[in-house]
Amino acid sequence: LAKAGLHVLRQGGDQRTQDIVAAFRERDDCVLFATDTFWQGIDVRGRNLRLVILARLPFAVPDHPLQQARLERIEEEGGDPFKEFSLPQAVLKLRQGFGRLIRAHDDTGTVAILDPRVVTKAYGRTFLSSLPPVSITECRDANC
């Protein structure tokens, strides 16, 4: 990335979150690698944020104790934990991530979802239909 003239910012280093966000807002040559912390409450408008890449659909970790308890309760009540909790929560999180990209009327950009489940699983349509009207391009090989 440095050879391409891009400055790399990343979560998990020795910089504070607010310092990383400030650097990302101020420079137009940055690439930011981050996770959940940057998913909500970050407002970067204009050219500085043009691409959001999701490596996977944002399902919560199922073995987290609170998540596990919620899923078990739904199952005990005869419900479908995936359809009633996991999927709606992940769809909401995707919409929030999508919202990072378009913050103002004149913002434009691309959201790349790299997780093949968005097109190979039936629930993938739920994710796509939850997004605002956008142009969707499907690519299944490296030649796109």
Side-chain angles (χ1 to χ4, degrees), residues 101-122:
L101 183 65
I102 307 299
R103 305 300 292 168
H105 180 71
D106 57 346
D107 283 348
T108 61
T110 300
V111 174
I113 302 172
L114 306 182
D115 191 329
R117 295 176 295 174
V118 79
V119 293
T120 61
K121 299 290 186 182

Side-chain angles (χ1 to χ4, degrees), residues 10-17 19-20:
R10 68 178 178 86
Q11 178 183 5
D14 56 355
Q15 282 188 300
R16 298 178 316 161
T17 298
D19 295 335
I20 295 170

Side-chain angles (χ1 to χ4, degrees), residues 10-51:
R10 68 178 178 86
Q11 178 183 5
D14 56 355
Q15 282 188 300
R16 298 178 316 161
T17 298
Q18 57 264 36
D19 295 335
I20 295 170
V21 173
F24 191 70
R25 278 191 191 118
E26 292 168 11
R27 299 178 64 154
D28 65 354
D29 64 344
C30 289
V31 175
L32 172 60
F33 290 90
T35 58
D36 233 19
T37 304
F38 289 81
W39 202 263
Q40 300 175 31
I42 304 298
D43 188 13
V44 179
R45 297 171 188 234
R47 279 192 44 82
N48 289 42
L49 183 57
R50 297 181 301 261
L51 174 62

Side-chain angles (χ1 to χ4, degrees), residues 64-82:
H64 184 278
L66 183 56
Q67 176 83 355
Q68 208 168 30
R70 287 178 175 147
L71 298 175
E72 288 172 4
R73 174 123 189 219
I74 292 169
E75 194 166 13
E76 288 168 2
E77 294 173 352
D80 182 332
F82 180 76

